[in-house]
Amino acid sequence: MKKFHILLFITFLIYNCTNNNEDNNKCNVLSNITSKVITHESATINWSSIQGSFTFEIEYKESGFTQGTGNIISLNDTNYTLSNLNSSTTYDYYIRALCEENGYGDWLGPFNITTPAICIAPIDLVVTNIKAYSNSGAHATINWSSDYDDTTYEIKFRLVGEADDSSIYSNHTPTTTANTFIQKYLLQNSEHVVYVRTYCNEDNYSDWSEPVFFRTLLAGCTGWEAFSELSADNITENSANISWNANEQYVYYDSYNVEYGISGFTLGQGTSVSTVDTNYNIDNLPSGTQIDFYVRGECSENNFTSFEGPFTFATQNIGCAIPMDFEIYSTGTDGTLFLQWFINENAIVDVLHYEIAYVEKDVPFSQGATTLTIPNDNTSAYLHAFNPNNYNLLPETTYQLYLRSVCTDNTESVYVGPISFTTDIACEKVNIVFVNGNKPNTIAIEYHNLNNNSTTEIEYGIRGFEIGTGIKLEETNGEFIYKEISNLQSGVYDLYIRANCGNDGYSDYTLATVSVHD
């Protein structure tokens, strides 16, 4: 009987140990254990588990370490990224599962990974040679510096405001083994960002370079045709340097087509030249003659924008120096036009005076011009104040101004110009019917403003104040207005009142003075 009990105990013990081993083996249900090196300092470990309720442990350290001395990570996911690794280093790692009921399974491993050498990012990224074409979008050349020879790089473009990981021009990132790259088919007339990184080997990339921002251009013949600032300088008896602004920060042209001739020539009958610059030196011009020039952009062979111009200038006269760069420099608040022109410094002493002629637009110069004499002040840069209000000009009318010099030998230069201006709208003064201070601390005023569609401005203050420093009332509409200004201190007040006829057209001020009592 005793032998039977001993045999029964041994059988139970063997069964129980066998059952525990089978339970532990249930935790050894990990498969597809893989590692993928991402960079020189990190690696991601992935595995599969047939039971999703397990907790897992990873132990890792540099290759050859003794288990129990490594770094242990506990987690509930089936992947983990090891970080802060050393470059060019081999690491061993082990992995096991923790069953909720049966404890840990056996460690699986060692597995190993090797981090690559550090991959160095490009530097000195620049964008140059920005162009645009109607059939291939905007172009840009990208250049950078690198520590590597014959290495592949990845380049990423995006629009400013787009997500940082977007690539808007293709489904793949362009690569190159040279330190230069030309990108075509960029969106025109837009703000862009570009980055470059080094591809050292599979799954080993450098960081992206510092971003570079740039603006692409618009192909000039696709809609942007706003040439501006046509001008001429260095004018002599038979030559001049002409220039223009082609909005090169926005638009690209293959070249520019210039046509010039004696003022008034018909386009197509002048002299035509081509240049890749935004300036051109014209020679073999007749002296003492007004010259017109036009300019347009050429986007491809025989594909042009519209002409801009004309800009008119005059070559120097052999007899009497011609004024140059005649323009309205600025306009005063009272409508005064500050006219500016230049004269050759060597010819100043020969100029007796200048003559300014004005005539209504579309009226022949020979029939309607009125001439004013302007003394020579012996300066090469002349500034003259011309107030149209002093010459009984018609309101709301466009006039043209011309200028010439008259020399001491009784010769005259040709007229230069014209420059145009438009007179103000006729705006009559406001009629004050009455103003008094009969009520305490109050001014009462009634006035008539008979200008059509106009408003009235009132400014008041203690007697003697300067216009612009007083208190202004809001503009009011209406022809017949009664107003009261209250809560005033006792004293003597000036009131200035005028009509605002619109388009910067104002009447003269009407002044009223009134005493206020408490």
Side-chain angles (χ1 to χ4, degrees):
M1 187 69 180
K2 184 175 181 181
K3 291 181 178 179
F4 173 78
H5 285 106
I6 293 173
L7 181 61
L8 181 64
F9 174 76
I10 293 172
T11 301
F12 173 80
L13 183 62
I14 293 171
Y15 172 81
N16 188 59
C17 292
T18 303
N19 188 58
N20 284 339
N21 286 337
E22 290 177 355
D23 287 340
N24 283 344
N25 288 336
K26 288 182 180 179
C27 288
N28 293 331
V29 289
L30 305 183
S31 61
N32 299 324
I33 300 173
T34 60
S35 57
K36 185 176 182 181
V37 176
I38 303 301
T39 70
H40 62 276
E41 61 181 1
S42 65
T44 298
I45 302 171
N46 297 278
W47 63 92
S48 299
S49 172
I50 63 173
Q51 298 186 30
S53 61
F54 290 156
T55 296
F56 307 97
E57 283 191 346
I58 299 172
E59 184 176 5
Y60 73 98
K61 200 172 183 181
E62 292 183 6
S63 182
F65 79 94
T66 301
Q67 270 203 277
T69 65
N71 304 302
I72 297 180
I73 306 296
S74 297
L75 70 158
N76 296 318
D77 293 326
T78 57
N79 66 82
Y80 184 76
T81 299
L82 307 178
S83 58
N84 298 316
L85 304 181
N86 295 321
S87 62
S88 303
T89 303
T90 299
Y91 289 83
D92 292 342
Y93 69 89
Y94 300 80
I95 185 168
R96 68 179 178 175
L98 173 64
C99 299
E100 294 180 354
E101 297 178 353
N102 301 315
Y104 283 104
D106 295 334
W107 285 103
L108 302 180
F111 306 96
N112 58 69
I113 57 175
T114 300
T115 56
I118 295 175
C119 195
I120 301 174
I123 60 173
D124 301 329
L125 179 64
V126 294
V127 180
T128 60
N129 204 27
I130 300 172
K131 300 180 179 180
Y133 300 93
S134 58
N135 60 351
S136 59
H139 295 196
T141 299
I142 318 301
N143 296 96
W144 60 90
S145 299
S146 172
D147 285 354
Y148 306 101
D149 295 324
D150 194 26
T151 300
T152 297
Y153 303 90
E154 289 194 344
I155 306 165
K156 177 172 64 177
F157 294 86
R158 66 175 175 87
L159 288 173
V160 172
E162 291 281 342
D164 185 61
D165 59 352
S166 65
S167 181
I168 61 173
Y169 304 112
S170 61
N171 294 324
H172 66 279
T173 304
T175 60
T176 177
T177 56
N179 290 10
T180 185
F181 182 79
I182 300 175
Q183 175 67 48
K184 301 179 182 179
Y185 301 103
L186 295 169
L187 188 64
Q188 297 186 24
N189 195 29
S190 302
E191 297 287 346
H192 291 71
V193 186
V194 62
Y195 312 77
V196 178
R197 70 176 179 179
T198 309
Y199 171 83
C200 290
N201 52 53
E202 185 177 359
D203 302 320
N204 184 23
Y205 297 88
S206 74
D207 294 332
W208 288 103
S209 67
E210 291 295 320
V212 171
F213 295 78
F214 67 99
R215 183 184 183 88
T216 53
L217 304 182
L218 181 67
C221 293
T222 62
W224 190 298
E225 301 176 4
F227 281 52
S228 61
E229 300 176 23
L230 276 65
S231 63
D233 58 12
N234 296 325
I235 301 172
T236 68
E237 296 170 4
N238 52 27
S239 67
N241 183 266
I242 59 174
S243 61
W244 54 91
N245 178 6
N247 298 294
E248 290 178 300
Q249 69 272 41
Y250 301 111
V251 185
Y252 174 74
Y253 298 103
D254 280 344
S255 61
Y256 306 98
N257 178 236
V258 177
E259 188 169 347
Y260 64 93
I262 295 175
S263 186
F265 79 93
T266 301
L267 272 171
Q269 298 180 0
T271 300
S272 182
V273 296
S274 181
T275 177
V276 296
D277 299 315
T278 55
N279 61 84
Y280 188 82
N281 192 72
I282 303 173
D283 55 16
N284 296 320
L285 299 175
S287 65
T289 305
Q290 284 189 311
I291 303 296
D292 291 344
F293 84 86
Y294 300 78
V295 63
R296 63 181 177 178
E298 183 173 7
C299 307
S300 57
E301 187 174 358
N302 296 321
N303 184 16
F304 298 96
T305 68
S306 299
F307 271 113
E308 293 288 335
F311 180 85
T312 303
F313 65 94
T315 55
Q316 291 286 347
N317 189 25
I318 296 176
C320 192
I322 300 173
M324 298 179 291
D325 300 331
F326 182 41
E327 64 177 348
I328 298 174
Y329 179 77
S330 64
T331 303
T333 56
D334 62 350
T336 296
L337 307 177
F338 292 95
L339 308 177
Q340 179 177 266
W341 62 87
F342 297 86
I343 200 77
N344 189 308
E345 189 170 353
N346 295 328
I348 293 175
V349 294
D350 296 325
V351 176
L352 180 63
H353 59 256
Y354 301 97
E355 290 182 349
I356 292 178
Y358 59 88
V359 64
E360 288 181 51
K361 187 178 180 180
D362 300 327
V363 173
F365 181 86
S366 60
Q367 297 179 19
T370 301
T371 302
L372 308 174
T373 299
I374 312 299
N376 177 17
D377 66 355
N378 292 317
T379 179
S380 60
Y382 204 106
L383 191 65
H384 174 71
F386 175 83
N387 191 333
N389 299 322
N390 297 334
Y391 300 105
N392 297 318
L393 303 183
L394 297 174
E396 300 181 72
T397 302
T398 299
Y399 285 83
Q400 293 184 318
L401 286 169
Y402 297 82
L403 172 71
R404 72 176 178 181
S405 55
V406 178
C407 288
T408 54
D409 61 358
N410 294 322
T411 60
E412 300 122 358
S413 73
V414 294
Y415 275 107
V416 295
I419 54 178
S420 299
F421 69 94
T422 301
T423 53
D424 293 334
I425 298 170
C427 200
E428 301 295 333
K429 292 178 65 174
V430 175
N431 177 37
I432 297 179
V433 179
F434 70 80
V435 59
N436 62 57
N438 296 338
K439 292 183 179 182
N441 305 106
T442 301
I443 295 174
I445 181 172
E446 181 178 331
Y447 56 84
H448 293 175
N449 181 356
L450 301 179
N451 296 286
N452 292 331
N453 301 317
S454 65
T455 57
T456 306
E457 297 179 352
I458 297 176
E459 185 175 353
Y460 68 92
I462 297 299
R463 186 174 186 178
F465 80 93
E466 293 185 6
I467 294 176
T469 64
I471 300 172
K472 295 181 179 180
L473 300 181
E474 294 183 1
E475 296 182 351
T476 55
N477 295 310
E479 297 180 359
F480 301 94
I481 300 294
Y482 173 81
K483 271 186 158 320
E484 288 187 354
I485 306 171
S486 56
N487 298 321
L488 300 175
Q489 296 181 354
S490 62
V492 180
Y493 288 80
D494 287 340
L495 286 87
Y496 290 91
I497 184 169
R498 68 175 180 176
N500 181 350
C501 297
N503 295 324
D504 294 326
Y506 297 92
S507 71
D508 292 333
Y509 280 104
T510 301
L511 171 64
T513 301
V514 61
S515 295
V516 174
H517 64 87
D518 292 330

